[in-house]
Amino acid sequence: MESSSSSSSFEAVVTQIQGLSSSAGDISRLHSILKQADDSLHAESARLLPALDQLDPSNHSLGFLYILEACSSGSVSKERASALVLTISRFISSCVAEQIRLAPEKFISVCKRLKDQVLLLEAPMRGVAPLLTAIRKLQTSSEHLTTLHPEFLLLCLLAKCYKTGLPVLHDDISEVDQPRDLYLYCYYGGMICIGQKHFRKALELLHNVVTAPMSTVNAIAVEAYKKYILVSLILHGQFSTSLPKYTSSVAQRNLKNFCQPYIELANSYGTGKITELETFVQTNREKFESDNNLGLVKQVVSSMYKRNIQRLTQTYLTLSLQDIANIVQLNSAKEAEMHVLQMIQDGEIFATINQKDGMVRFLEDPEQYKTCEMIEHIDSSIQRIMALSRKLTAMDEQISCDPLYLAKAGRERPRFDLDDYDSVPQKFNI
């Protein structure tokens, strides 16, 4: 009797989903009904899957979401996982953004289950495209960092789809739901940029993790700091342990203690002696390997050869390949030629190689900053900086009117005399 009652109740919900999905007013009423029916839907989760065949994910997005979330909430076998991945992927592709945004926590839950299932199937590639679509449908704007961003970037990393992950890393983020999402977004994003050898962008993202507000040291920040040191060496040939003043005191005091081998690596790099650096890497190989940073450490070693070759361009006009090999401690003139050619190709030095006598002629930077492409590049950079400036001004005005901020500021005010306000920087714990 109870089973029959719950079955008819469930059928009534399906009927209401079908009948209340056309107008905004109907969908609002439906949302209230679904909220009330949520517990009973979860109680019947094992029997819900066939009901999805009666619904159109594009017309009945909200109702489809509630039922899909309920029927995917239990444990899923590996055999059933593949079918569930297909169902969720099709729903993400077809659903209407306006409807799923009414229940964002449900949508996020379903998308995270998709991620879990593709990892269970050891097929992260199957989740990459659906999660990118999900992000764009969940976002209210490109500046909105959702909880799905780090999940998507993680799948890109595991599937080695680095290029697919790059577009979301070019968005200027100003709205964040959870601090942990920002940490993971920047950390995974930094790793994707490292995979693509976009070291400048990688350093920017890792810098955001290291300098983000934190009350206690977290594992994400520690791992980001290790990579931050290595990428700094590759990109700039140096690393400073001094963090910006806006970095939390917790990070300033403690991060270095967790990363001593990396600090010592940077010190060894600073000597410019390749043999000492290689010896240090070999001694600490196990540590770097256990951190999954050995590949990046090897790129640090390789970058020292490049850095030493770059120094030669400041001293010599011409030099033989054999002399270059001897000075920077490469094994042969052929190896020196490969390094020089790669650096020319990457725009790291300007030179020509005479194949007949094996001589390298170092040249000045040919860029005159007057081509149409360069002017367009400079103009786009200026436009972006102006847009960011307007955004910061708007955010500053918004915070200045926030009651919580004003209350905090009011409590701080008695600490200062009015005459001191020009000379004393005001700091508030928001």
Side-chain angles (χ1 to χ4, degrees):
M1 187 71 178
E2 188 180 338
S3 176
S4 173
S5 172
S6 63
S7 177
S8 61
S9 167
F10 168 62
E11 287 169 4
V13 171
V14 172
T15 303
Q16 285 168 322
I17 291 170
Q18 291 169 332
L20 294 173
S21 294
S22 52
S23 69
D26 284 347
I27 289 170
S28 180
R29 282 176 57 204
L30 175 63
H31 195 197
S32 298
I33 293 167
L34 289 170
K35 283 179 182 176
Q36 293 172 0
D38 197 36
D39 288 342
S40 59
L41 288 175
H42 277 81
E44 295 290 321
S45 60
R47 300 165 54 197
L48 293 181
L49 205 54
L52 295 177
D53 294 334
Q54 302 174 50
L55 301 173
D56 180 347
S58 57
N59 293 329
H60 312 127
S61 300
L62 184 62
F64 198 104
L65 172 60
Y66 264 79
I67 293 177
L68 181 58
E69 193 273 332
C71 70
S72 63
S73 59
S75 59
V76 179
S77 65
K78 199 166 184 176
E79 293 72 26
R80 186 168 158 252
S82 189
L84 186 60
V85 165
L86 191 58
T87 302
I88 296 176
S89 298
R90 286 174 175 169
F91 169 69
I92 291 171
S93 176
S94 306
C95 68
V96 176
E98 290 73 20
Q99 289 195 35
I100 60 101
R101 283 181 196 161
L102 294 172
E105 71 292 337
K106 294 280 182 190
F107 187 67
I108 289 167
S109 178
V110 165
C111 292
K112 286 188 175 182
R113 281 169 198 159
L114 170 69
K115 181 212 72 173
D116 292 339
Q117 301 316 313
V118 297
L119 294 183
L120 178 69
L121 294 167
E122 298 179 355
M125 177 75 80
R126 291 183 63 182
V128 170
L131 277 194
L132 180 56
T133 303
I135 285 171
R136 295 312 185 198
K137 290 192 175 183
L138 186 61
Q139 275 182 312
T140 51
S141 76
S142 62
E143 298 170 3
H144 176 207
L145 180 70
T146 72
T147 302
L148 296 180
H149 274 81
E151 307 285 357
F152 164 68
L153 293 174
L154 175 60
L155 289 184
C156 288
L157 280 170
L158 295 174
K160 293 187 169 54
C161 294
Y162 304 135
K163 283 186 180 178
T164 312
L166 289 176
V168 304
L169 297 173
H170 293 311
D171 296 334
D172 290 320
I173 300 297
S174 61
E175 182 185 344
V176 181
D177 292 338
Q178 297 292 333
R180 186 173 181 273
D181 297 336
L182 180 64
Y183 280 110
L184 288 174
Y185 166 79
C186 291
Y187 179 62
Y188 291 150
M191 291 175 71
I192 281 173
C193 290
I194 288 169
Q196 286 293 100
K197 297 192 183 300
H198 295 176
F199 293 117
R200 194 169 300 280
K201 182 66 177 178
L203 194 65
E204 175 192 322
L205 290 164
L206 294 169
H207 176 88
N208 290 343
V209 183
V210 172
T211 59
M214 63 182 84
S215 54
T216 57
V217 174
N218 62 72
I220 305 168
V222 170
E223 295 308 310
Y225 192 59
K226 292 172 183 176
K227 289 180 170 60
Y228 179 69
I229 294 170
L230 299 177
V231 175
S232 295
L233 294 175
I234 292 169
L235 186 64
H236 298 306
Q238 60 184 9
F239 173 75
S240 171
T241 55
S242 299
L243 291 167
K245 289 183 179 178
Y246 52 80
T247 308
S248 68
S249 57
V250 169
Q252 300 220 34
R253 283 196 310 267
N254 299 307
L255 280 179
K256 288 176 279 190
N257 300 334
F258 291 97
C259 306
Q260 274 308 311
Y262 295 84
I263 302 288
E264 290 168 22
L265 176 74
N267 293 337
S268 177
Y269 191 100
T271 65
K273 297 174 182 176
I274 192 72
T275 50
E276 285 185 18
L277 181 65
E278 287 177 332
T279 302
F280 180 84
V281 169
Q282 196 57 41
T283 305
N284 293 272
R285 183 187 177 92
E286 257 182 57
K287 172 61 180 170
F288 296 135
E289 203 160 15
S290 67
D291 288 342
N292 291 318
N293 283 330
L294 186 59
L296 198 55
V297 168
K298 288 179 178 177
Q299 291 184 63
V300 168
V301 175
S302 178
S303 75
M304 182 179 274
Y305 289 113
K306 291 182 181 180
R307 203 71 54 195
N308 289 341
I309 290 172
Q310 282 176 327
R311 288 196 187 99
L312 297 178
T313 67
Q314 299 164 13
T315 308
Y316 300 94
L317 292 175
T318 58
L319 207 59
S320 72
L321 288 168
Q322 188 58 56
D323 284 340
I324 292 174
N326 294 340
I327 294 169
V328 303
Q329 299 177 43
L330 288 164
N331 294 324
S332 64
K334 188 67 180 173
E335 201 172 322
E337 184 179 13
M338 288 171 64
H339 274 278
V340 170
L341 285 172
Q342 187 62 54
M343 291 176 74
I344 293 170
Q345 185 179 326
D346 295 340
E348 293 170 331
I349 61 170
F350 305 97
T352 58
I353 300 176
N354 187 325
Q355 295 290 345
K356 285 185 179 179
D357 55 14
M359 295 297 292
V360 178
R361 183 183 173 205
F362 298 117
L363 309 171
E364 296 292 327
D365 183 350
E367 179 59 68
Q368 298 297 309
Y369 299 95
K370 61 184 181 182
T371 61
C372 291
E373 291 82 1
M374 181 54 69
I375 291 168
E376 285 174 10
H377 173 70
I378 293 170
D379 181 62
S380 68
S381 296
I382 292 170
Q383 294 298 327
R384 182 169 177 267
I385 290 167
M386 289 171 65
L388 285 170
S389 177
R390 287 193 295 270
K391 194 183 301 177
L392 283 170
T393 302
M395 289 173 73
D396 184 55
E397 290 172 356
Q398 185 181 354
I399 291 170
S400 298
C401 299
D402 187 281
L404 289 174
Y405 171 83
L406 293 173
K408 289 267 188 182
R411 286 198 294 273
E412 292 284 339
R413 190 169 294 130
R415 298 186 189 183
F416 303 103
D417 292 329
L418 289 176
D419 293 340
D420 294 336
Y421 268 60
D422 289 336
S423 58
V424 178
Q426 298 177 45
K427 294 184 181 179
F428 305 109
N429 296 319
I430 306 300

